[in-house]
């Protein structure tokens, strides 16, 4: 097996704002595996600066060292890759592509083009007017689940936008999710959740910053609004650590991003541990290009089975002006494979 690594810089169509800052570009590394018969598989390694546990200054050097080991042994060194989830995800994806047609990811109704995966419409942070315009665009396209990034503008303005949605659309018509990206302090979080809960929201992602287990556990016990953990899971790689986190915090949901949470194998482990505890889950992308998004969509279809009803966070394929073409398309509020 031969391994080749290239990198590419992608450009956002807009300034993608979060409570942590604004993204305008995104760099990914692409791992290509080639076997003795000339078949190739490509995977995307895409760490998020200031968020991924493996967004390191020497990222490419580490990736090349691990790729060389994979080339020499023909196997992915899973145990060595636990601290590097985006690298593991890229190698898993490349190996799947190398085994195209013979891999479980190719066996689902989604992979055959028979079913779509319901997805949420994502509203990025911006001014009140910008978020209102983006919201109207998503609703016009037929999205029935809307996810709002909050925490960057005045909280009262964000509440006003949510109130405006609920005045026009009830919970039965539009499901609302919000993602705070850790924007609230532990002292103010419960009050904010109580205000948000008045508008029949589905859930809130990561209301306070990660690694505050005691405070997060208290919020999950007292919250009037279901809480979903996202950033909290980053860097928690061993099964024993995962179990400890879930048993301590007891969230209502967890959200899995394979590039952040242990690759596809690590994300599956999280989902299974959550199921054993009655904790819900869904999967989202982490702003990968269409190469990574395609793999995450196939993983989602495999892990949750046929007839997925909960909207997933897989609507990011149109965020780059120079994305890589893949056989993905959004029809209404579902992601489909074009066959």
């Amino acid at each position: 097996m031969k391994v080749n690594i290239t990198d590419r810089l992608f450009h956002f169509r807009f300034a993608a704002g979060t409570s942590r800052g604004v993204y305008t570009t995104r760099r990914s590394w692409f791992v290509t595996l080639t076997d003795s018969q000339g078949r190739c598989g490509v995977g995307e390694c895409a760490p998020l600066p200031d968020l991924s546990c493996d967004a390191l200054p020497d990222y490419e050097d580490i990736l090349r060292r691990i790729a060389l080991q994979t080339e020499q042994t023909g196997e992915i060194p899973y145990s060595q890759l636990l601290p590097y989830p985006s690298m593991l995800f890229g190698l898993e994806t490349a190996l799947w592509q190398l085994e195209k047609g013979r891999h479980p990811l190719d066996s689902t109704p989604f992979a055959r083009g028979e079913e779509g995966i319901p997805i949420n419409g994502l509203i990025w942070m911006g001014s009140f007017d910008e978020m209102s315009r983006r919201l109207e665009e998503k609703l016009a396209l037929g999205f029935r689940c809307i996810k709002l990034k909050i925490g960057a503008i005045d909280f009262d303005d964000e509440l006003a936008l949510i109130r405006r949605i609920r005045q026009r659309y009830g919970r039965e018509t539009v499901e609302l999710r919000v993602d705070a990206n850790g924007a609230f302090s532990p002292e103010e979080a419960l009050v904010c959740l109580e205000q948000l809960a008045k508008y029949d929201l589905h859930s809130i992602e990561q209301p306070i910053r990660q690694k505050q287990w005691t405070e997060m556990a208290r919020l999950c016990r007292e919250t009037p609004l279901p809480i979903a953990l996202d950033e909290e899971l980053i860097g928690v790689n061993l099964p024993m650590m995962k179990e400890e986190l879930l048993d301590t915090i007891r969230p209502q949901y967890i959200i899995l991003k394979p590039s952040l949470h242990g690759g596809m194998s690590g994300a599956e482990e999280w989902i299974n541990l959550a199921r054993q505890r009655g904790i819900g889950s869904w999967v989202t992308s982490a702003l990968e290009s269409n190469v990574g998004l395609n793999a995450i969509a196939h993983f989602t279809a495999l892990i949750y089975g046929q007839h997925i009803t909960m909207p997933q966070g897989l609507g990011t394929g149109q965020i780059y002006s120079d994305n890589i073409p893949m056989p993905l398309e959004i029809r209404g509020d579902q992601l489909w494979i074009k066959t």
Side-chain angles (χ1 to χ4, degrees), residues 158-212:
E158 291 169 339
L159 284 177
L161 179 60
I162 294 169
R163 186 184 310 116
R164 174 178 166 182
I165 300 170
R166 276 293 174 249
Q167 287 171 345
R168 293 181 55 189
Y169 304 98
R171 182 171 186 166
E172 299 76 18
T173 305
V174 175
E175 179 180 282
L176 286 178
R177 301 173 179 174
V178 294
D179 183 1
N181 287 125
F184 304 141
S185 70
E187 294 75 24
E188 70 182 350
L190 189 57
V191 173
C192 293
L193 295 183
E194 289 169 348
Q195 292 177 291
L196 288 165
K198 297 175 183 177
Y199 302 105
D200 291 324
L201 304 189
H202 173 272
S203 57
I204 181 170
E205 295 181 31
Q206 204 69 41
I208 63 175
R209 288 191 177 272
Q210 66 267 42
K211 298 183 180 179
Q212 300 180 84

Side-chain angles (χ1 to χ4, degrees), residues 101-302:
R102 299 171 287 126
H103 194 283
L105 290 175
D106 299 308
S107 65
T108 67
F110 171 77
R112 296 191 295 269
E114 298 168 0
E115 288 186 4
I117 299 174
I119 60 176
N120 61 246
L122 177 59
I123 310 299
W124 288 90
M125 289 178 178
S127 68
F128 180 88
D129 290 340
E130 288 171 336
M131 294 179 73
S132 296
R133 175 179 53 79
R134 292 167 184 167
L135 169 67
E136 295 297 335
E137 290 172 354
K138 293 297 183 184
L139 293 174
L141 290 171
F143 283 92
R144 293 169 291 177
C145 177
I146 299 293
K147 173 180 167 179
L148 296 167
K149 292 273 191 180
I150 64 172
I153 63 175
D154 183 77
F155 185 60
D156 287 338
D157 286 343
E158 291 169 339
L159 284 177
L161 179 60
I162 294 169
R163 186 184 310 116
R164 174 178 166 182
I165 300 170
R166 276 293 174 249
Q167 287 171 345
R168 293 181 55 189
Y169 304 98
R171 182 171 186 166
E172 299 76 18
T173 305
V174 175
E175 179 180 282
L176 286 178
R177 301 173 179 174
V178 294
D179 183 1
N181 287 125
F184 304 141
S185 70
E187 294 75 24
E188 70 182 350
L190 189 57
V191 173
C192 293
L193 295 183
E194 289 169 348
Q195 292 177 291
L196 288 165
K198 297 175 183 177
Y199 302 105
D200 291 324
L201 304 189
H202 173 272
S203 57
I204 181 170
E205 295 181 31
Q206 204 69 41
I208 63 175
R209 288 191 177 272
Q210 66 267 42
K211 298 183 180 179
Q212 300 180 84
W213 286 19
T214 300
E215 294 297 333
M216 188 68 85
R218 178 183 61 82
L219 280 178
C220 288
R221 287 195 307 270
E222 300 177 3
T223 181
L225 176 63
I227 291 174
L229 301 185
D230 180 357
E231 290 96 331
E232 198 73 66
L233 312 182
I234 296 172
V236 182
N237 300 315
L238 298 175
M240 184 172 62
M241 295 171 61
K242 295 177 181 180
E243 291 178 352
E244 182 182 4
L245 183 149
L246 295 175
D247 290 337
T248 299
I249 299 179
R250 301 300 301 183
Q252 285 75 34
Y253 295 101
I254 59 172
I255 302 169
L256 284 310
K257 294 179 171 71
S259 286
L260 298 180
H261 302 138
M264 288 186 272
S265 53
E268 181 178 6
E269 186 173 67
W270 272 115
I271 291 168
N272 288 334
L273 290 171
R275 282 173 173 165
Q276 295 167 13
R277 291 160 173 79
I279 297 170
S281 66
W282 68 89
V283 173
T284 80
S285 62
L287 310 184
E288 297 88 355
S289 77
N290 279 336
V291 174
L293 177 62
N294 179 58
I296 295 168
H298 281 79
F299 166 77
T300 303
L302 179 65

Side-chain angles (χ1 to χ4, degrees), residues 15 27 38 46 48-49 98 102 107 117 169 214 301 307 309 322-323:
R27 185 173 299 280
L48 274 170
L98 194 64
R102 299 171 287 126
S107 65
I117 299 174
Y169 304 98
T214 300
H307 313 310
T309 57
D322 46 3
N323 211 332

